[in-house]
Amino acid sequence: MYWEPEKECMARKDLEQLQLERLQSTLNRVENHVPFYRKKFAELKINCDDFKSLDDLRRLPFTVKQDLRDNYPYGLFAVPQREIVRIHSSSGTTGLATVVGYTRNDLKNWSDLVARVLTGAGVTKDDVIQIAFGYGLFTGGFGLHYGAERLGASVIPISAGNTKRQIQIMQDFKTTALVCTPSYALIIADALMEQGIDPRDLSLRVGLFGAEPWSEAMRHEINEKMGIRATDNYGLSEVMGPGVAGECEQCNGLHISEDHFLLEVIDPDTLEPVPPGEVGELVVTTLTKEAFPMIRYRTRDLTRLIPEPCPCGRTFTRMQRIMGRTDDMLIIKGVNVFPIQIEKVLFEIEGTAPHYQIIIERVNHNDRVTVLVEVNESLFFDQMKMQRQMVDHIKAKLSSELGIGVNVKLVEEKTLERSEGKSKRVIDKRKL
Ligand code: DLL
């Protein structure tokens, strides 16, 4: 089943022509409306009218997350405020957050692309979709919601959390498709078992999971425990949100919506393209975004493109599931977290030494974070009350900065391992 077969099965030659035209118009848009790009193009003596082939893309500069932060909040928007109808933002409070905007037309394209991902995974308008992604500044909830409505399915906007209620709704409303992070799907699966509910008595048949890394092993576990077909879908707020790529019913790689996004895979060190089919960092250029076009955005996500055609008939290239990242970004409980955010909070708290360690574990499919913090007053350890107050204070500050709860443990000065080179701040014990 296709959402738009005339696009999804386009001949490569026609697709490349479309991409080139859309690239040219995107370049004109950013050059005319975004001072950041205009300045960069001028420095590199790039004349957008000279773009004659897609290979010319390689002459353009990369854009990185820091560029978004430097232009916080609206500096990279390519339309006046009055044309913006939606704003989303990814993790971090001011300074570290990235803000993205959408015009009405962007929202239409976004819904279409998410509807395409849903259709690819086998969802139709006869389905009842339970959306257990957070609704809010995160693009997951609203992105999937609008796509599912566009498709004409029955949408249950339950949002994330409250697993007991998720299950109750799933039973009563006869949910057929579940949308959430893969780790939350496993939490729901375990809760079903605990409550003695046989998933085969539910109406559930398909799952659309994304927003965090997972593995084939996790897919099998979800399939087994829930009796569904779990599919992977990928996206990132900087280039749109969910809807960038998704698996078809073959469950063997994610088709990239190449009519809206131009993909490159580069070697993160040399920044040169890797040979076809090899692993590298995914770089995305948007082709139709009006409010927030992105030129050669370095996603930091590692993957490889699958050169072989897919038996489903779609001609859009597939990418293998995300295999890792080239930076230190962590995805904890579906939320993007950078160790530097934790460091920033600790530096602001008097009495802590600049030594800390972040330990991440997965306990019963739940991510658990413990931050070990060295305190420079060993006296402290005789004063339980002060210690507790300090722990609570750090916890509150960290939760508000990160948007997730963490455990905090104070340790005496010089207890944490020192290293001569790069200190090992993060110990990620999760096995996906
Ligand atoms: O996570 C958008 C999204 C929402 C995608 C719902 C799919 C479903 P951000 O919060 O900006 O946007 O986080 C983007 O999450 O660069 C990847 O590192 C990671 N990520 C997203 N999808 C996958 C996936 C949304 N299927 C960052 N597998 C990306 C692995 C994923 N990692």
Side-chain angles (χ1 to χ4, degrees):
M1 202 98 68
Y2 305 107
W3 173 247
E4 295 166 306
E6 71 289 358
K7 295 181 182 154
E8 293 171 77
C9 305
M10 252 182 159
R12 184 62 27 192
K13 198 169 109 294
D14 298 339
L15 177 64
E16 284 176 357
Q17 181 58 33
L18 179 75
Q19 287 179 323
L20 181 60
E21 284 162 19
R22 289 182 165 178
L23 177 65
Q24 283 161 337
S25 110
T26 299
L27 291 177
N28 282 326
R29 173 179 288 276
V30 298
E31 185 169 45
N32 289 327
H33 301 292
V34 188
F36 165 81
Y37 284 112
R38 190 181 314 135
K39 191 161 156 266
K40 267 194 165 183
F41 290 179
E43 276 165 16
L44 294 167
K45 301 202 170 30
I46 291 168
N47 181 353
C48 293
D49 296 328
D50 287 349
F51 269 72
K52 298 284 179 276
S53 101
L54 289 174
D55 290 336
D56 290 333
L57 184 69
R58 287 177 55 188
R59 292 170 33 213
L60 293 171
F62 291 104
T63 310
V64 295
K65 209 179 188 88
Q66 191 59 40
D67 295 326
L68 274 72
R69 290 175 178 154
D70 293 345
N71 289 283
Y72 176 88
Y74 298 143
L76 296 182
F77 283 20
V79 297
Q81 191 75 44
R82 86 183 85 88
E83 287 181 39
I84 300 285
V85 294
R86 179 88 68 76
I87 292 165
H88 280 282
S89 169
S90 76
S91 58
T93 46
T94 50
L96 278 172
T98 51
V99 180
V100 297
Y102 305 77
T103 63
R104 195 167 295 287
N105 205 28
D106 290 334
L107 285 190
K108 185 191 163 294
N109 283 334
W110 190 13
S111 316
D112 277 340
L113 290 183
V114 173
R116 184 187 275 179
V117 164
L118 288 162
T119 309
V123 177
T124 72
K125 62 203 212 17
D126 296 324
D127 277 293
V128 179
I129 307 190
Q130 185 158 334
I131 299 185
F133 270 131
Y135 279 67
L137 287 177
F138 173 54
T139 52
F142 280 102
L144 265 304
H145 180 103
Y146 275 69
E149 270 191 6
R150 176 80 184 86
L151 180 64
S154 314
V155 185
I156 309 173
I158 187 165
S159 196
N162 200 343
T163 309
K164 219 170 143 209
R165 185 144 177 273
Q166 298 276 357
I167 292 175
Q168 184 75 51
I169 296 275
M170 210 174 261
Q171 287 177 310
D172 296 349
F173 295 8
K174 308 210 180 323
T175 303
T176 58
L178 175 66
V179 172
C180 58
T181 57
S183 54
Y184 194 49
L186 276 175
I187 291 173
I188 298 179
D190 283 355
L192 283 172
M193 289 219 291
E194 269 163 36
Q195 292 183 32
I197 299 167
D198 183 347
R200 280 140 197 100
D201 291 339
L202 300 172
S203 311
L204 213 56
R205 59 177 197 87
V206 58
L208 282 104
F209 306 124
E212 66 178 12
W214 55 315
S215 59
E216 277 309 300
M218 266 179 86
R219 189 210 298 269
H220 286 301
E221 195 175 339
I222 298 173
N223 286 350
E224 282 293 301
K225 286 187 167 164
M226 284 199 153
I228 60 171
R229 188 164 43 78
T231 63
D232 191 5
N233 71 95
Y234 167 85
L236 61 163
S237 28
E238 290 87 346
V239 308
M240 192 170 74
V244 175
E247 280 183 333
C248 61
E249 290 181 68
Q250 303 283 326
C251 292
N252 185 17
L254 295 80
H255 289 280
I256 302 154
S257 278
E258 290 184 278
D259 49 346
H260 292 263
F261 305 101
L262 205 51
L263 273 290
E264 300 167 85
V265 180
I266 62 163
D267 177 325
D269 297 322
T270 64
L271 305 183
E272 291 299 318
V274 298
E278 291 200 4
V279 176
E281 179 182 330
L282 192 66
V283 172
V284 186
T285 300
T286 65
L287 295 175
T288 50
K289 291 270 294 292
E290 292 178 342
F292 200 79
M294 270 286 111
I295 306 296
R296 300 192 89 194
Y297 183 68
R298 289 188 60 184
T299 65
R300 304 285 176 179
D301 289 318
L302 287 170
T303 184
R304 59 178 280 271
L305 299 182
I306 303 173
E308 296 82 30
C310 183
C312 78
R314 286 177 183 78
T315 50
F316 289 162
T317 305
R318 286 171 293 164
M319 63 181 218
Q320 195 163 314
R321 67 163 65 252
I322 299 295
M323 302 154 93
R325 287 189 58 88
T326 64
D327 65 2
D328 55 359
M329 186 178 94
L330 302 159
I331 304 187
I332 303 171
K333 301 181 191 179
V335 176
N336 303 348
V337 172
F338 288 90
I340 187 87
Q341 292 175 274
I342 295 176
E343 185 166 314
K344 198 182 107 206
V345 167
L346 294 180
F347 267 112
E348 285 165 6
I349 293 175
E350 217 169 305
T352 62
H355 293 287
Y356 62 93
Q357 204 160 49
I358 307 161
I359 299 172
I360 312 157
E361 296 154 290
R362 195 158 270 185
V363 184
N364 297 330
H365 308 304
N366 257 315
D367 289 338
R368 192 169 66 191
V369 186
T370 309
V371 184
L372 303 180
V373 186
E374 280 190 10
V375 277
N376 46 24
E377 298 283 336
S378 43
L379 266 181
F380 245 23
F381 284 84
D382 305 332
Q383 303 178 27
M384 286 303 282
K385 196 166 157 224
M386 268 182 79
Q387 241 189 78
R388 239 189 334 262
Q389 276 173 351
M390 181 136 186
V391 166
D392 288 344
H393 181 55
I394 300 178
K395 262 189 175 171
K397 285 245 171 193
L398 283 175
S399 309
S400 106
E401 166 71 27
L402 308 175
I404 51 166
V406 301
N407 302 316
V408 171
K409 262 194 202 150
L410 303 183
V411 295
E412 281 186 63
E413 224 173 348
K414 303 202 172 63
T415 352
L416 297 178
E417 195 191 322
R418 302 286 194 268
S419 115
E420 308 248 306
K422 241 168 123 64
S423 50
K424 188 143 176 62
R425 299 276 195 219
V426 180
I427 302 181
D428 196 340
K429 298 183 178 168
R430 293 175 294 186
K431 287 197 180 58
L432 299 183

mmCIF file of all heavy atoms in Angstrom, residues 17-35:
data_model
loop_
_atom_site.group_PDB
_atom_site.id
_atom_site.type_symbol
_atom_site.label_atom_id
_atom_site.label_comp_id
_atom_site.label_asym_id
_atom_site.label_seq_id
_atom_site.Cartn_x
_atom_site.Cartn_y
_atom_site.Cartn_z
ATOM 1 N N GLN A 17 15.655 15.198 -11.153
ATOM 2 C CA GLN A 17 15.264 16.477 -11.751
ATOM 3 C C GLN A 17 14.433 17.292 -10.751
ATOM 4 O O GLN A 17 14.667 18.487 -10.548
ATOM 5 C CB GLN A 17 14.471 16.214 -13.051
ATOM 6 C CG GLN A 17 14.025 17.455 -13.797
ATOM 7 C CD GLN A 17 15.192 18.370 -14.183
ATOM 8 O OE1 GLN A 17 16.290 17.887 -14.465
ATOM 9 N NE2 GLN A 17 14.965 19.684 -14.153
ATOM 10 N N LEU A 18 13.503 16.619 -10.097
ATOM 11 C CA LEU A 18 12.658 17.278 -9.101
ATOM 12 C C LEU A 18 13.514 17.802 -7.947
ATOM 13 O O LEU A 18 13.343 18.933 -7.478
ATOM 14 C CB LEU A 18 11.618 16.271 -8.577
ATOM 15 C CG LEU A 18 10.659 16.785 -7.515
ATOM 16 C CD1 LEU A 18 9.613 17.702 -8.136
ATOM 17 C CD2 LEU A 18 9.953 15.630 -6.791
ATOM 18 N N GLN A 19 14.450 16.960 -7.516
ATOM 19 C CA GLN A 19 15.319 17.362 -6.399
ATOM 20 C C GLN A 19 16.126 18.607 -6.769
ATOM 21 O O GLN A 19 16.249 19.532 -5.967
ATOM 22 C CB GLN A 19 16.292 16.226 -6.051
ATOM 23 C CG GLN A 19 15.622 15.053 -5.332
ATOM 24 C CD GLN A 19 16.613 13.942 -5.032
ATOM 25 O OE1 GLN A 19 17.511 13.666 -5.828
ATOM 26 N NE2 GLN A 19 16.440 13.285 -3.894
ATOM 27 N N LEU A 20 16.642 18.620 -7.995
ATOM 28 C CA LEU A 20 17.463 19.759 -8.420
ATOM 29 C C LEU A 20 16.642 21.047 -8.437
ATOM 30 O O LEU A 20 17.061 22.081 -7.918
ATOM 31 C CB LEU A 20 18.068 19.478 -9.806
ATOM 32 C CG LEU A 20 18.970 20.583 -10.357
ATOM 33 C CD1 LEU A 20 20.164 20.826 -9.438
ATOM 34 C CD2 LEU A 20 19.476 20.223 -11.764
ATOM 35 N N GLU A 21 15.440 20.958 -8.999
ATOM 36 C CA GLU A 21 14.587 22.153 -9.037
ATOM 37 C C GLU A 21 14.268 22.645 -7.629
ATOM 38 O O GLU A 21 14.312 23.833 -7.331
ATOM 39 C CB GLU A 21 13.276 21.842 -9.780
ATOM 40 C CG GLU A 21 13.471 21.780 -11.282
ATOM 41 C CD GLU A 21 12.321 21.064 -11.987
ATOM 42 O OE1 GLU A 21 11.227 20.938 -11.394
ATOM 43 O OE2 GLU A 21 12.523 20.631 -13.146
ATOM 44 N N ARG A 22 13.963 21.676 -6.758
ATOM 45 C CA ARG A 22 13.601 22.064 -5.390
ATOM 46 C C ARG A 22 14.813 22.597 -4.624
ATOM 47 O O ARG A 22 14.675 23.488 -3.779
ATOM 48 C CB ARG A 22 12.961 20.872 -4.667
ATOM 49 C CG ARG A 22 11.577 20.582 -5.225
ATOM 50 C CD ARG A 22 10.880 19.443 -4.507
ATOM 51 N NE ARG A 22 9.452 19.455 -4.838
ATOM 52 C CZ ARG A 22 8.571 18.557 -4.397
ATOM 53 N NH1 ARG A 22 8.971 17.573 -3.612
ATOM 54 N NH2 ARG A 22 7.301 18.654 -4.723
ATOM 55 N N LEU A 23 15.971 22.048 -4.928
ATOM 56 C CA LEU A 23 17.189 22.537 -4.278
ATOM 57 C C LEU A 23 17.453 23.989 -4.691
ATOM 58 O O LEU A 23 17.751 24.851 -3.866
ATOM 59 C CB LEU A 23 18.382 21.647 -4.637
ATOM 60 C CG LEU A 23 19.728 22.104 -4.076
ATOM 61 C CD1 LEU A 23 19.735 22.030 -2.540
ATOM 62 C CD2 LEU A 23 20.876 21.259 -4.620
ATOM 63 N N GLN A 24 17.310 24.229 -5.991
ATOM 64 C CA GLN A 24 17.547 25.593 -6.472
ATOM 65 C C GLN A 24 16.620 26.577 -5.775
ATOM 66 O O GLN A 24 17.034 27.653 -5.343
ATOM 67 C CB GLN A 24 17.355 25.654 -8.000
ATOM 68 C CG GLN A 24 18.559 25.074 -8.739
ATOM 69 C CD GLN A 24 18.251 24.693 -10.180
ATOM 70 O OE1 GLN A 24 17.090 24.443 -10.543
ATOM 71 N NE2 GLN A 24 19.281 24.621 -11.003
ATOM 72 N N SER A 25 15.363 26.185 -5.640
ATOM 73 C CA SER A 25 14.431 27.133 -5.032
ATOM 74 C C SER A 25 14.717 27.281 -3.527
ATOM 75 O O SER A 25 14.594 28.377 -2.973
ATOM 76 C CB SER A 25 12.994 26.745 -5.376
ATOM 77 O OG SER A 25 12.316 26.272 -4.289
ATOM 78 N N THR A 26 15.162 26.206 -2.876
ATOM 79 C CA THR A 26 15.525 26.313 -1.452
ATOM 80 C C THR A 26 16.742 27.227 -1.271
ATOM 81 O O THR A 26 16.787 28.051 -0.359
ATOM 82 C CB THR A 26 15.829 24.903 -0.876
ATOM 83 O OG1 THR A 26 14.661 24.096 -0.998
ATOM 84 C CG2 THR A 26 16.235 24.967 0.588
ATOM 85 N N LEU A 27 17.713 27.086 -2.177
ATOM 86 C CA LEU A 27 18.912 27.928 -2.075
ATOM 87 C C LEU A 27 18.559 29.397 -2.250
ATOM 88 O O LEU A 27 19.042 30.267 -1.526
ATOM 89 C CB LEU A 27 19.959 27.500 -3.106
ATOM 90 C CG LEU A 27 20.596 26.130 -2.848
ATOM 91 C CD1 LEU A 27 21.570 25.771 -3.958
ATOM 92 C CD2 LEU A 27 21.308 26.105 -1.496
ATOM 93 N N ASN A 28 17.689 29.684 -3.208
ATOM 94 C CA ASN A 28 17.261 31.065 -3.404
ATOM 95 C C ASN A 28 16.545 31.584 -2.161
ATOM 96 O O ASN A 28 16.753 32.723 -1.743
ATOM 97 C CB ASN A 28 16.335 31.176 -4.613
ATOM 98 C CG ASN A 28 17.148 31.134 -5.895
ATOM 99 O OD1 ASN A 28 18.266 31.634 -5.926
ATOM 100 N ND2 ASN A 28 16.613 30.515 -6.934
ATOM 101 N N ARG A 29 15.722 30.723 -1.603
ATOM 102 C CA ARG A 29 14.975 31.121 -0.418
ATOM 103 C C ARG A 29 15.925 31.511 0.728
ATOM 104 O O ARG A 29 15.794 32.566 1.332
ATOM 105 C CB ARG A 29 14.066 29.957 0.012
ATOM 106 C CG ARG A 29 13.351 30.160 1.328
ATOM 107 C CD ARG A 29 12.462 28.965 1.638
ATOM 108 N NE ARG A 29 11.303 28.934 0.758
ATOM 109 C CZ ARG A 29 10.180 29.625 1.001
ATOM 110 N NH1 ARG A 29 10.078 30.357 2.086
ATOM 111 N NH2 ARG A 29 9.180 29.570 0.168
ATOM 112 N N VAL A 30 16.897 30.635 1.007
ATOM 113 C CA VAL A 30 17.771 30.957 2.155
ATOM 114 C C VAL A 30 18.680 32.151 1.846
ATOM 115 O O VAL A 30 18.945 32.975 2.715
ATOM 116 C CB VAL A 30 18.603 29.745 2.666
ATOM 117 C CG1 VAL A 30 17.691 28.635 3.165
ATOM 118 C CG2 VAL A 30 19.565 29.221 1.626
ATOM 119 N N GLU A 31 19.110 32.231 0.606
ATOM 120 C CA GLU A 31 19.997 33.350 0.283
ATOM 121 C C GLU A 31 19.258 34.685 0.420
ATOM 122 O O GLU A 31 19.796 35.672 0.911
ATOM 123 C CB GLU A 31 20.552 33.203 -1.136
ATOM 124 C CG GLU A 31 21.564 34.296 -1.429
ATOM 125 C CD GLU A 31 22.337 34.057 -2.709
ATOM 126 O OE1 GLU A 31 21.696 33.704 -3.721
ATOM 127 O OE2 GLU A 31 23.559 34.217 -2.695
ATOM 128 N N ASN A 32 17.999 34.690 0.042
ATOM 129 C CA ASN A 32 17.240 35.934 0.105
ATOM 130 C C ASN A 32 16.715 36.263 1.493
ATOM 131 O O ASN A 32 16.482 37.420 1.803
ATOM 132 C CB ASN A 32 16.047 35.889 -0.867
ATOM 133 C CG ASN A 32 16.514 35.957 -2.302
ATOM 134 O OD1 ASN A 32 17.520 36.608 -2.581
ATOM 135 N ND2 ASN A 32 15.821 35.273 -3.198
ATOM 136 N N HIS A 33 16.489 35.235 2.314
ATOM 137 C CA HIS A 33 15.771 35.502 3.563
ATOM 138 C C HIS A 33 16.507 35.172 4.850
ATOM 139 O O HIS A 33 16.018 35.498 5.929
ATOM 140 C CB HIS A 33 14.430 34.753 3.557
ATOM 141 C CG HIS A 33 13.535 35.136 2.417
ATOM 142 N ND1 HIS A 33 12.966 36.383 2.338
ATOM 143 C CD2 HIS A 33 13.160 34.467 1.303
ATOM 144 C CE1 HIS A 33 12.256 36.462 1.217
ATOM 145 N NE2 HIS A 33 12.359 35.303 0.567
ATOM 146 N N VAL A 34 17.645 34.475 4.750
ATOM 147 C CA VAL A 34 18.336 34.111 5.998
ATOM 148 C C VAL A 34 19.767 34.681 5.969
ATOM 149 O O VAL A 34 20.628 34.164 5.267
ATOM 150 C CB VAL A 34 18.383 32.564 6.193
ATOM 151 C CG1 VAL A 34 18.917 32.220 7.575
ATOM 152 C CG2 VAL A 34 17.025 31.928 5.952
ATOM 153 N N PRO A 35 19.996 35.749 6.742
ATOM 154 C CA PRO A 35 21.320 36.399 6.712
ATOM 155 C C PRO A 35 22.465 35.418 6.990
ATOM 156 O O PRO A 35 23.534 35.533 6.395
ATOM 157 C CB PRO A 35 21.223 37.444 7.838
ATOM 158 C CG PRO A 35 19.765 37.699 8.006
ATOM 159 C CD PRO A 35 19.050 36.443 7.624
#
